[in-house]
């Protein structure tokens, strides 16, 4: 199982998080919508943990919540994906 932990405190903006996910998961997603498409096509067990508990920047928090929502929707369509959110 591949596990990716996204600590929101370590990022300046949503673009950096998307870049991190691309690197960690070997994706090509250029946007959150692309991320959904690629995550629904995963064929290996993958767990993504989105830790938003220490994020103080409202814009970043909003972006992470939106990203987590998209990931959770993708997990509903893909048996190989598990998404955990820490708020």
């Amino acid at each position: 199982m591949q596990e990716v932990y996204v600590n929101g405190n370590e990022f300046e903006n949503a673009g950096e998080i998307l870049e991190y996910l691309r690197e960690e998961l070997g994706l090509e997603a250029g946007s959150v919508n692309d991320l959904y498409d690629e995550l629904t096509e995963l064929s290996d067990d993958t767990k993504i943990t989105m830790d938003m508990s220490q994020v103080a920047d409202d814009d970043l928090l909003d972006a992470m919540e939106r990203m987590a929502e998209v990931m959770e929707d993708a997990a509903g369509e893909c048996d190989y994906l598990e998404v955990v959110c820490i708020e």
Side-chain angles (χ1 to χ4, degrees), residues 17-71:
I17 296 172
L18 189 57
E19 177 64 29
Y20 175 73
L21 290 170
R22 282 195 301 254
E23 290 174 9
E24 292 296 310
L25 297 173
L27 305 176
E28 297 179 15
S31 71
V32 173
N33 292 335
D34 295 339
L35 182 64
Y36 173 87
D37 292 339
E38 289 192 58
L39 290 176
T40 58
E41 296 174 3
L42 290 174
S43 58
D44 294 319
D45 288 335
T46 304
K47 179 180 179 181
I48 302 172
T49 301
M50 296 287 283
D51 186 346
M52 300 174 264
S53 63
Q54 300 297 316
V55 176
D57 181 271
D58 287 340
D59 291 335
L60 179 58
L61 185 58
D62 288 346
M64 287 187 72
E65 288 172 345
R66 170 72 178 121
M67 195 175 289
E69 190 176 293
V70 169
M71 289 181 199

